[in-house]
Amino acid sequence: MAITLPAGMKITGDILPAYEDILTPEALALVDKLHRAFEPRRQQLLAARVERARRLDAGERPDFLAETKSIREGDWKVAPIPPALHCRRVEITGPVEAKMVINAFNSGADSYMTDFEDSNSPNWHNQVQGQVNLKAAIRRTLTHEANGKQYKLNDKIATLQVRPRGWHLDEKHVTIDGQRVSGGIFDFALFLFHNAKEQLARGAGPYFYLPKMESHLEARLWNDVFVMAQNEIGLPQGTIKATVLIETILAAFEMEEILYELREHSAGLNAGRWDYIFSCIKKFKTDKDFCLADRAKVTMTAPFMRAYALLLLKTCHKRGAPAIGGMSALIPIKNDPEKNAVAMQGIISDKRRDAEDGYDGGWVAHPGLVEPAMKEFVTVLGDKPNQFEKQRPDVNVTAADLLNFQPETPITEAGLRMNINVGIHYLGAWLDGNGCVPIHNLMEDAATAEISRSQVWQWIRSPKGVLDDGRKVTAELVRALIPEELAKVKASVGGSQAYDRAAVIFEQMSTSEQFAEFLTLPLYEEI
């Protein structure tokens, strides 16, 4: 179908009839304006990431920034948090598919982070249909029918927050003067344009989650995008609120600065644990002294994870901002009561620790986990919406604490096989258009797939990458195990050719000499 585009803009994705309500001239004009204003800075910041990675590969160690010491020592707070974001004891997350949107809104969670990023395979249909779904959901008109069952929204639904794509991701179907637009700006601008005023009229507002940042300068870019966008569509400054996922090791050293840059628009920080582990592996992948144990052994009680979680909590509450705990990947296991009991206890322990530490809420990946997670927070908080008053003066985290990477052992054949299996399974599902996949009773998204392939890559190269039976992890061993794990995956899911392709990609990415920055970047060119 024909739509009117700003000068210089081209859209190569199919324009289905439903998309015309999203890809309007006025909404695309906002995308165009933000792209032209900020794309040069985005590219500069991405280049700065590459340069910083080069220095880390050469042996540099991150530390708190000397040039921003005055911010860390200054007396300031973020702007007041709007009432709709005061109570976030349980937040549920998931992709923008209609059934999942409805189930998440209806789950009983305080807040729902709908995801255009890690739990969503960013093919053109998913991105634009997701906008269609959210626009309808906000206006309470979204319905869905599947297998004879009708899904519709309850009268009481969770507060919506939206996660656009990170700065590193493009939207390849939209170009301006031949240059791809930022996936994050595309997602953000379309959602804001169509829904901000409607959300305000309904007692909430345009609230976002911002992923994958590595510095306060990247937060400053988002803040400047917010300022321009609010001016363009006639919103008072500070209307937009955003929670930043601290899911890179470099951002952990700049938490206060990130809050400061977004202080008029901040809704706090979240401990994005899975991407954080991946970031640590990625940033120290060539360090001969760095090597993490099996993924299952790297929990929130590991020294570097504990330091990160407590520093985030203290930082947020010091600045009047919400501190939200990360995701436990466990999900209900319907056909095995014993395994389900173990999974439920894992969820309960995770949320209890967050609540007792002082966190204001935490994430779950499945509606069946909202009630047990909520119980743990209510036990600690009572009828209080949050724990902003819990300041944690006892917490004093140093750079050495953040870099205390334990445990290093065990690395097992079972752990190696699990990484290969999860990597192939997730990549195959992603190629088929599904970015949120239950695998071995865990809800996996791009972050856990990233851990899987990056651990294998690093174990091959690290002198510490030795199995507990004494065998060195090698490219040859990995190549030998891949066909066996591929067969297991295909037996469990059926025979989509995407899984054969996924196995090839996993082998290439885990055994190649060059480490790919994100697995989603080369994958995106295939969908």
Side-chain angles (χ1 to χ4, degrees), residues 105-252:
F105 267 126
N106 290 345
S107 66
D110 295 313
S111 168
Y112 162 38
M113 189 208 78
T114 191
D115 193 13
F116 286 98
E117 205 229 14
D118 264 9
S119 66
N120 177 62
S121 175
N123 63 45
W124 176 247
H125 170 77
N126 285 351
Q127 297 305 121
V128 186
Q129 185 61 45
Q131 297 278 356
V132 173
N133 294 341
L134 293 183
K135 184 177 179 182
I138 287 165
R139 290 155 180 82
R140 307 298 182 92
T141 61
L142 181 65
T143 60
H144 180 71
E145 190 169 337
N147 303 317
K149 185 176 179 181
Q150 188 77 22
Y151 296 83
K152 63 179 184 178
L153 292 165
N154 295 340
D155 291 336
K156 186 179 188 310
I157 60 175
T159 297
L160 179 65
Q161 302 182 77
V162 177
R163 176 160 70 169
R165 282 169 282 184
W167 283 134
H168 63 292
L169 294 171
D170 297 338
E171 176 46 68
K172 69 180 181 181
H173 299 93
V174 182
T175 60
I176 295 174
D177 297 338
Q179 185 179 43
R180 290 180 178 182
V181 303
S182 156
I185 281 180
F186 180 79
D187 301 336
F188 161 78
L190 292 181
F191 179 83
L192 185 81
F193 181 87
H194 290 295
N195 301 299
K197 291 178 180 177
E198 183 72 23
Q199 288 177 295
L200 289 166
R202 291 174 179 269
Y207 306 143
F208 295 90
Y209 255 97
L210 303 178
K212 302 290 187 295
M213 278 193 258
E214 296 193 6
S215 75
H216 70 285
L217 298 179
E218 295 181 16
R220 182 181 298 171
L221 177 57
W222 267 119
N223 195 75
D224 291 346
V225 168
F226 292 167
V227 169
M228 178 177 281
Q230 287 167 148
N231 283 336
E232 287 299 306
I233 66 173
L235 295 175
Q237 289 301 322
T239 299
I240 294 170
K241 296 296 178 185
T243 305
V244 173
L245 287 140
I246 301 298
E247 51 188 351
T248 70
I249 180 68
L250 299 181

Side-chain angles (χ1 to χ4, degrees), residues 274-473:
W274 302 115
D275 266 300
Y276 191 80
I277 295 169
F278 162 55
S279 171
C280 294
I281 299 168
K282 176 166 63 172
K283 296 304 182 187
F284 303 110
K285 61 186 179 293
T286 62
D287 186 335
K288 302 304 182 191
D289 293 323
F290 173 93
C291 191
L292 289 176
D294 286 356
R295 172 191 156 192
K297 301 295 184 183
V298 185
T299 68
M300 291 304 290
T301 60
F304 74 106
M305 298 300 287
R306 189 77 183 131
Y308 145 73
L310 290 174
L311 179 61
L312 186 149
L313 168 61
K314 179 178 182 176
T315 300
C316 284
H317 286 180
K318 175 183 176 183
R319 304 305 183 183
I324 307 299
M327 174 77 75
S328 174
L330 295 161
I331 55 176
I333 305 169
K334 294 180 180 178
N335 56 1
D336 191 325
E338 288 187 16
K339 285 186 177 179
N340 188 62
V342 173
M344 287 299 107
Q345 189 54 52
I347 290 288
I348 289 166
S349 298
D350 189 69
K351 303 313 169 192
R352 180 175 297 163
R353 182 183 58 251
D354 278 351
E356 291 178 348
D357 281 346
Y359 272 85
D360 304 300
W363 274 13
V364 297
H366 190 284
L369 301 177
V370 171
E371 186 176 347
M374 186 70 77
K375 183 172 181 288
E376 295 307 315
F377 278 98
V378 170
T379 297
V380 174
L381 275 70
D383 58 2
K384 294 187 303 181
N386 54 57
Q387 304 191 79
F388 292 178
E389 76 285 351
K390 192 172 275 192
Q391 293 289 302
R392 297 304 303 263
D394 57 310
V395 172
N396 293 289
V397 173
T398 66
D401 295 328
L402 292 173
L403 300 173
N404 182 11
F405 295 117
Q406 301 287 336
E408 294 186 341
T409 57
I411 301 171
T412 66
E413 180 179 325
L416 175 59
R417 284 182 177 275
M418 180 64 77
N419 278 347
I420 295 169
N421 187 288
V422 168
I424 293 171
H425 194 153
Y426 182 81
L427 293 176
W430 200 93
L431 290 169
D432 269 347
N434 183 9
C436 185
V437 191
I439 305 174
H440 305 306
N441 304 315
L442 298 173
M443 190 63 78
E444 307 283 15
D445 69 3
T448 44
E450 292 281 29
I451 295 172
S452 296
R453 64 96 182 182
S454 60
Q455 272 204 310
V456 173
W457 191 96
Q458 208 256 340
W459 286 344
I460 290 171
R461 284 152 188 82
S462 172
K464 295 183 177 182
V466 178
L467 300 180
D468 58 351
D469 62 12
R471 285 179 294 161
K472 176 74 180 78
V473 179

